[in-house]
Amino acid sequence: MTSADVAWDLTADVVVLGSGGAAMTAAISAYDHGASDVVILEKSGMVGGTTAMSGGMLWIPNNHHQHEAGIGDSDEDIVAYLDSLAPGALDPDLLWAFMQNGPEMLRYFAERTPVRLVSFTDFPDYQPYAPGAKPDGGRSLDNEAFAFERLGKWAGRVNPSKMAYPLRGSLMEATRGTLDAATLEERERGDYRGLGQALAGSLFKAVLDRGIPVEFEKRARRLVKDGDRVIGVVAEGASGKDVRVRARRGVVIATGGFEWNETLVKNFLRGPLTGPVSVPENEGDGLLMAIEAGAQLGNMQNAFWMQSVLEFEPQHRAAKPNYMLGSDERARPGAILVNRKGQRFVNEAANYNALGKALHAFDAGTHAYANLPYWLVIDQRYRDKYHTFNAAPGAPTPSYMLQADTLAELAQKAGIDPAGLEATVARFNGFVAQGRDDDFQRGANTYDNFYMWGDLDYDPPFRTLGAIDRGPFYAVKMEAGALGTAGGPRTNADAQVVDWNGNPIPGLYAAGNAMAAVLGDVYGGAGGTLGPGMTFGYIAGKHLGATIPNV
């Protein structure tokens, strides 16, 4: 659409599409760097996107919080670590922009916003054995709990969490058990929330403090161009009526990924995605607009993979199915993952993004994905001790969980090969007895034994290795899920979307999961999506606010 076709309904310096972590960061940054008139267009009636539903951590190496905690870092170690995970695959300009602007953004948050982050000092990088890694943590940042009473009437506009952890404290407080009864009572009164709720809530408070309006139920559909320059956007309102918003400086696409768009998923991703855990509004709206604007695409085959489980009730908005996160259950002692042959196929304690790639192994002989479908298998000892998705110990067996007195009977119910499952469990129990997993080396590194996933009642490797031998037995069908997709329009180091010749498209920026991921398919540590995504939101806002004049 060209400018000649448009009668504007709204005008702003900068128009931000979406309201997740990257989007709100872009809006705040643009405002503070000189764009005094910023507007956010949000597709749904809620803010926060997938950020609000997540653990809310940010992975940003060489940050001042880790240095204050006495944990050193260097550019050489960061590059060595990332290059070992994606040899020669990362754009050096974008990588450098992330490395320089990520720590700058954290200092800016601390000085100018209510966002309060701390280094999770013993949370290891996800590949702690790789060169340049931090096996003892520091690069991943946790949110201090944020009082939602500070949002007043707007508190109910933040998307709810999908995390199973207590929300009144930070993730560190929740996992270390450092909250006493008096503190919890005080936080209940102030409606304190941790994790992604704290991050989204504190960012939203910064948006409100600046008077940046959020236009709810405005689904961006088309970009408006004047020649080569993007000068605005046409959004679909709740009534179906078009709302035309002019952008004097530019438009930031921060609408999330395309994991809920079945057509785009089938056309682009490397393998099946059956259970996204993000907000259902992530249907690739920004990607489609960028394609129409002539954007170069990148990293389209990849997603930020996450194991998930279908919860039959409740449903997401628009009656879309609700998938629960499956990051913890598989890593605890007494749990394994098996395919239809009843065979293990992966280190169950590996990080969720790396494990997701194992689900796309293709069997040329059967012309099928060897590890799809797959199941979590546990026993009664596990059920008696651990929270299993939304089922507490001692709670009735939920509908998504199969139960049987024997492994053979369980396999029959699930559609797993009975002999294969019995042989696999016997072999695994042998590994537990010897204290060494000869098949997949589960429990052999720092990450596998981290207390977030394992059981501190035991010493390594038994924090993650435990026998499956006490009936009845249980199986849960798992999904090939994702936190979001990792592909989209390519950007330069200023977060400007580039065309197929590598030239910036004037007036068009991208950040978060709506852009081609800065780190490709690498997930460096906890917060591996939010850290780079919000950094490029910060970069986009800074560039728009400080260097682009009103047109």
Side-chain angles (χ1 to χ4, degrees), residues 5 7 32 36 40 66 102 124 159 190 265 271 334 364 373 409 443 486 505 540:
D5 303 319
D32 284 358
S36 59
I40 294 172
Q66 74 180 87
N159 266 324
V265 165
E409 183 185 353
I505 298 173

Side-chain angles (χ1 to χ4, degrees), residues 57 69 71 119-125 134-140 172 175-176 446-447 449-452 456 463:
M57 295 185 73
I71 302 171
S119 175
F120 204 140
T121 50
D122 54 357
F123 204 126
D125 282 344
K134 291 291 179 188
D136 299 318
R139 290 170 173 166
S140 290
M172 286 192 291
T175 53
R176 294 173 177 174
T446 307
Y447 180 80
N449 292 287
F450 183 46
Y451 59 79
M452 277 282 295
L456 278 178
R463 287 182 181 175

Side-chain angles (χ1 to χ4, degrees), residues 215-458:
E215 295 285 339
F216 291 103
E217 298 184 339
K218 301 291 189 299
R219 181 180 188 177
R221 286 293 203 179
R222 299 184 303 281
L223 296 172
V224 182
K225 298 179 78 174
D226 185 1
D228 293 332
R229 183 179 188 83
V230 172
I231 61 166
V233 62
V234 178
E236 180 183 300
S239 64
K241 181 182 177 182
D242 283 348
V243 178
R244 299 163 177 85
V245 186
R246 186 183 176 207
R248 299 187 188 97
R249 300 191 185 196
V251 174
V252 182
I253 294 174
T255 52
F258 57 86
E259 59 273 12
W260 285 94
N261 186 315
E262 185 177 351
T263 300
L264 293 175
V265 165
K266 288 181 178 178
N267 283 340
F268 288 115
L269 289 187
R270 57 180 283 167
L273 193 168
T274 61
V277 298
S278 60
V279 290
E281 288 80 24
N282 290 356
E283 298 175 288
D285 296 349
L287 171 63
L288 295 173
M289 286 185 285
I291 291 173
E292 188 176 4
Q296 182 183 159
L297 304 182
N299 207 41
M300 295 300 294
Q301 73 277 25
N302 293 314
F304 300 115
W305 304 105
M306 166 61 75
Q307 298 68 60
S308 63
V309 173
L310 176 62
E311 182 184 23
F312 295 103
E313 294 291 342
Q315 297 288 302
H316 253 321
R317 295 188 289 272
K320 290 187 177 180
N322 186 38
Y323 295 96
M324 298 179 288
L325 294 163
S327 60
D328 298 8
E329 287 77 6
R330 57 185 168 76
R332 298 187 187 123
I336 58 173
L337 296 175
V338 300
N339 58 22
R340 67 172 69 87
K341 293 181 179 179
Q343 299 170 342
R344 291 177 69 214
F345 56 88
V346 73
N347 171 5
E348 292 90 349
N351 82 78
Y352 39 85
N353 185 56
L355 195 154
K357 298 174 186 178
L359 300 177
H360 296 146
F362 194 75
D363 186 338
T366 61
H367 205 76
Y369 288 98
N371 301 322
L372 287 173
Y374 71 114
W375 292 263
L376 175 79
V377 175
I378 59 176
D379 68 357
Q380 189 60 46
R381 181 190 290 110
Y382 186 107
R383 282 281 287 125
D384 288 342
K385 186 171 187 180
Y386 304 119
H387 210 101
T388 312
F389 307 110
N390 65 359
T397 302
S399 59
Y400 56 78
M401 188 180 294
L402 300 175
Q403 177 180 341
D405 291 332
T406 67
L407 288 168
E409 183 185 353
L410 183 70
Q412 291 282 3
K413 285 186 174 183
I416 303 170
D417 177 67
L421 181 60
E422 289 180 323
T424 292
V425 171
R427 181 174 175 83
F428 180 73
N429 287 345
F431 293 155
V432 174
Q434 71 179 14
R436 185 181 67 253
D437 176 8
D438 290 338
D439 285 346
F440 298 104
Q441 294 73 55
R442 178 173 168 184
N445 65 65
T446 307
Y447 180 80
D448 291 6
N449 292 287
F450 183 46
Y451 59 79
M452 277 282 295
W453 326 120
D455 189 333
L456 278 178
D457 288 347
Y458 306 103

